[in-house]
Amino acid sequence: MTPSFALHIADADLEPEPLDPGQIVSGAPEVSGKVVWASPDGRQVRGIWQITPGVVTDTEADELFVVISGSATVEVEGGATLRVGPPGDLAVLRAGDRTTWTVHETLRKAYAITL
């Protein structure tokens, strides 16, 4: 069992997470992240994720996230357009949402995902 812990998200070191080139719509966005906790069965994941400016597509898991820095517009196919940022904004994405992320300023978020 993982002990309780605290982490300063804004300064946390992240590892590169290469994007599938098929997800990149425009620009040269780079992604990095860090899983800080996962349930034993791997269905619950908590972590930090960051992406530099550009436009990418994704298919989402059930996720709640809070913006730490930066801003983006997330278009949900057939649904809402979410503007996230400034820091402190919270967003919820549903499993299966097909999204297009337009990242205006490097976006760093803390997330909780259910797979």
Side-chain angles (χ1 to χ4, degrees):
M1 176 179 246
T2 303
S4 298
F5 66 93
L7 175 67
H8 188 70
I9 299 166
D11 298 334
D13 290 328
L14 306 179
E15 297 293 324
E17 295 180 358
L19 273 170
D20 174 346
Q23 291 181 266
I24 299 172
V25 175
S26 68
E30 295 180 4
V31 171
S32 55
K34 178 177 188 154
V35 171
V36 298
W37 180 86
S39 64
D41 65 3
R43 296 198 63 225
Q44 302 287 323
V45 182
R46 312 292 184 253
I48 304 163
W49 185 82
Q50 180 171 288
I51 186 169
T52 63
V55 180
V56 299
T57 61
D58 200 8
T59 300
E60 305 298 335
D62 278 326
E63 178 180 0
L64 176 145
F65 70 85
V66 175
V67 174
I68 304 305
S69 60
S71 65
T73 302
V74 183
E75 296 175 57
V76 179
E77 187 176 285
T81 297
L82 313 174
R83 287 168 177 60
V84 296
D89 282 358
L90 178 142
V92 174
L93 300 170
R94 296 179 324 195
D97 279 350
R98 292 168 40 126
T99 56
T100 300
W101 292 69
T102 301
V103 180
H104 310 291
E105 299 174 71
T106 297
L107 180 76
R108 183 175 282 217
K109 65 181 185 174
Y111 67 82
I113 292 176
T114 301
L115 300 171

